[in-house]
Amino acid sequence: MSEHQNIACDELRLLIERVEKLEEEERGLKEDKRDVYAEAKSRGYDVKAMREIIRLRRMDRQAREEAEAILDTYKAAVGLN
């Protein structure tokens, strides 16, 4: 192999190792998140409601208000209000 090919192989290997490390960290974070939800549940909190609050907090205010307005309209249409 030429020196250029060796450099490319080393670079590729390093990139793959970085991705593998990130995937490992991601698995760890998912486990940590699962543990937090389990703790919340054991303390009597509604995990489904927590997940919904987190989803809503990710949205910007305008998108959240629009989604809530649509939901209110649909609830009224089916007699849930």
Side-chain angles (χ1 to χ4, degrees):
M1 261 194 232
S2 71
E3 184 177 336
H4 179 68
Q5 287 174 321
N6 284 337
I7 291 171
C9 289
D10 288 343
E11 183 177 57
L12 176 60
R13 181 183 50 78
L14 290 172
L15 289 168
I16 289 170
E17 288 173 355
R18 284 174 54 196
V19 169
E20 289 172 337
K21 182 179 180 199
L22 290 169
E23 287 176 345
E24 185 177 320
E25 290 173 10
E26 183 178 36
R27 278 190 299 277
L29 290 172
K30 285 181 180 181
E31 289 173 12
D32 291 348
K33 189 168 129 179
R34 197 171 24 248
D35 292 345
V36 171
Y37 280 123
E39 179 182 348
K41 184 176 181 176
S42 73
R43 293 175 183 249
Y45 294 102
D46 185 317
V47 171
K48 186 175 178 181
M50 287 177 59
R51 289 180 191 276
E52 181 66 14
I53 294 296
I54 291 167
R55 186 185 71 77
L56 291 170
R57 287 172 53 124
R58 271 192 226 123
M59 299 171 78
D60 66 41
R61 187 178 61 98
Q62 183 179 356
R64 185 175 53 248
E65 288 173 356
E66 183 178 315
E68 289 171 350
I70 292 169
L71 183 59
D72 288 343
T73 301
Y74 282 27
K75 285 170 38 180
V78 296
L80 288 176
N81 280 352

